[in-house]
Amino acid sequence: MIVLGVETSCDETSVAILKDGREIISEVIYSQDSIHSEWGGVVPEIASRQHVRIIDAVFNEALMEAKIELKEIDLFAYTRGPGLIGSLLVGLTYTKALAYALSKPFVGVDHLHAHIESAFLENDLIEFPVLALVISGGHTSMFYMEEQLEFKLLGKTRDDAAGEVLDKIAKFLEIGYPGGPAIERLSKNGDPEKFRFSTPVIKNGGLDFSFSGLKTAAYLYIKKGLVRKDSKELPDFLASFQKGIIDHIISNIKKALNDYPAKSVVLSGGVARNEELRKKVSKEMKERGIKVFIPTPRHCTDNGSMIASLGYKLYLRGKRDGWDSDAYARFSSAFYSSETRKRHK
Ligand code: KG4
Ligand code: ZN
């Protein structure tokens, strides 16, 4: 079965073609980073217009790379949400039109579940139960999976996402966009203990995250002129700030494991590209005998392969979208109940 996956939830336009939802025969990812860097963050209206401009070219390149014709595609999968509504609608409309014209089935997938799917796409051996995190520019969420395709949401950020605060502090310091990789690069030889960023404590927050306090603390250092782009303390400052974010993520993982014992931990989303985060989580989990699975950096970021892979699995479970299907911008609790899945059958 040839499955096409379309991802347009934020600022990457990606189309991938997978054989049997598993073997990637082509994958094209077009990033808008260079366009949004001027503003130091994603501008939603520009993002959706750029998707409109580029999606046809990305799609044709994916077909060419896979050396297949349009009529050979058996199933169309796309990101239904959450994400920027204008961007989502481009992928949804494009995919729906193709499926309609060819009278082929099409399936919408949840973007966060799809990020986690990237790890399953690359690894057959992930043992359940799994504690799975999506850490990106738009989301920081933690799920417990007792089995395949079962996503119990344990906690999510109450304010900013981890990647969002990295991007914002990089913007204030004018050190580049996206901020995560810029901060990682510039903090390489820094001392993470030099500046103090305490781990957020969320009262009655269960397993939720909160990153805005870390952002404000960093912003105040910058506003008071204690650190600047050209300060010699910059590497120490960035290393300490990055550590603050990583420590919060790890402390929440440990907290979750007390109530939700897991055999595996999955990290996904753009921030999971961070070497320090990957290393630290792997070390901490190794001490507990828990295996850690993190997609290759290319598949941590938004990609069409994760959409095709998850769409295929849902299709096998009987999920189909109707022609009236719509996108959702925000986290949809309906998508998380098994009731909804049954209704989709
Ligand atoms: O998953 P993603 O590509 O897009 C969504 O937000 O859905 O994630 C983008 C985020 C940005 O905030 C970016 O700064 C962050 O991932 N990021 C990183 C690294 N590479 C990308 N954060 C920390 N370290 C990195 N190496
Ligand atoms: Zn994403």
Side-chain angles (χ1 to χ4, degrees), residues 7 9-10 12 111-112 115 134 136-139 269-270 300-302 306:
E7 159 61 39
S9 68
C10 190
E12 266 95 21
H111 183 74
L112 303 188
H115 265 300
V134 183
S136 70
H139 314 276
C300 282
T301 355
D302 294 346
M306 66 186 192

Side-chain angles (χ1 to χ4, degrees), residues 9-12 111 115 135-139 162-164 166-167 177-182 184 242 269-275 300-302:
S9 68
C10 190
D11 62 339
E12 266 95 21
H111 183 74
H115 265 300
I135 317 165
S136 70
H139 314 276
E164 193 177 352
L166 289 164
D167 292 341
Y177 174 83
E184 174 162 41
Q242 183 178 273
V271 180
R273 294 171 74 121
N274 187 280
E275 273 304 320
C300 282
T301 355
D302 294 346

Side-chain angles (χ1 to χ4, degrees), residues 237-256:
F237 176 75
L238 295 178
S240 307
F241 177 57
Q242 183 178 273
K243 179 178 179 291
I245 290 171
I246 294 173
D247 285 354
H248 180 34
I249 293 167
I250 292 179
S251 100
N252 237 14
I253 293 177
K254 286 184 182 166
K255 214 159 112 190

Side-chain angles (χ1 to χ4, degrees), residues 53-325:
R53 269 188 212 110
I54 205 81
I55 192 160
D56 224 22
V58 171
F59 169 73
N60 284 318
E61 198 178 321
L63 278 187
M64 263 167 48
E65 212 178 86
K67 297 189 180 63
I68 63 157
E69 287 183 45
L70 177 57
K71 60 176 191 293
E72 291 176 71
I73 298 166
D74 301 301
L75 171 68
F76 291 84
Y78 70 99
T79 304
R80 200 165 158 210
L84 303 171
I85 194 66
S87 294
L88 287 165
L89 285 171
V90 178
L92 161 76
T93 314
Y94 193 85
T95 318
K96 197 192 277 191
L98 286 172
Y100 187 77
L102 295 165
S103 302
K104 295 282 172 69
F106 86 116
V107 174
V109 309
D110 183 274
H111 183 74
L112 303 188
H113 298 173
H115 265 300
I116 296 165
E117 178 63 22
S118 283
F120 286 93
L121 177 61
E122 291 186 3
N123 287 286
D124 281 325
L125 304 169
I126 305 182
E127 263 188 280
F128 291 92
V130 173
L131 188 71
L133 287 90
V134 183
I135 317 165
S136 70
H139 314 276
T140 306
S141 302
M142 183 157 58
F143 297 87
Y144 191 57
M145 300 176 69
E146 287 191 271
E147 53 179 283
Q148 193 72 254
L149 301 181
E150 287 296 328
F151 301 90
K152 180 184 168 67
L153 181 72
L154 301 183
K156 60 190 171 77
T157 185
R158 294 193 157 195
D159 36 63
D160 293 358
E164 193 177 352
V165 300
L166 289 164
D167 292 341
K168 285 196 177 137
I169 292 306
K171 182 180 173 178
F172 292 139
L173 284 166
E174 298 174 356
I175 54 170
Y177 174 83
I183 290 177
E184 174 162 41
R185 198 178 56 249
L186 293 167
S187 67
K188 271 272 157 13
N189 299 315
D191 176 359
E193 305 298 336
K194 261 285 165 52
F195 289 78
R196 200 168 151 59
F197 289 100
S198 38
T199 305
V201 179
I202 305 171
K203 287 196 185 112
N204 311 320
L207 295 167
D208 278 348
F209 297 85
S210 169
F211 293 97
S212 67
L214 287 166
K215 179 185 69 181
T216 307
Y219 175 66
L220 289 176
Y221 276 115
I222 302 165
K223 197 170 164 232
K224 287 179 192 158
L226 299 173
V227 64
R228 286 191 315 271
K229 187 182 180 172
D230 52 3
S231 314
K232 70 171 186 352
E233 293 87 5
L234 187 74
D236 297 340
F237 176 75
L238 295 178
S240 307
F241 177 57
Q242 183 178 273
K243 179 178 179 291
I245 290 171
I246 294 173
D247 285 354
H248 180 34
I249 293 167
I250 292 179
S251 100
N252 237 14
I253 293 177
K254 286 184 182 166
K255 214 159 112 190
L257 289 170
N258 292 334
D259 292 328
Y260 297 93
K263 287 197 174 144
S264 316
V265 165
V266 162
L267 298 186
S268 65
V271 180
R273 294 171 74 121
N274 187 280
E275 273 304 320
E276 203 56 30
L277 174 69
R278 296 167 85 100
K279 258 196 326 225
K280 271 195 172 172
V281 173
S282 301
K283 182 174 172 286
E284 292 271 356
M285 293 305 113
K286 197 172 174 193
E287 284 164 13
R288 293 168 177 243
I290 297 171
K291 292 225 170 89
V292 177
F293 297 88
I294 313 171
T296 48
R298 180 176 170 88
H299 286 146
C300 282
T301 355
D302 294 346
N303 64 84
S305 299
M306 66 186 192
I307 307 301
S309 179
L310 183 57
Y312 177 70
K313 285 183 182 171
L314 291 170
Y315 173 80
L316 292 182
R317 291 254 177 124
K319 187 177 183 297
R320 312 278 186 274
D321 276 15
W323 301 121
D324 60 347
S325 72

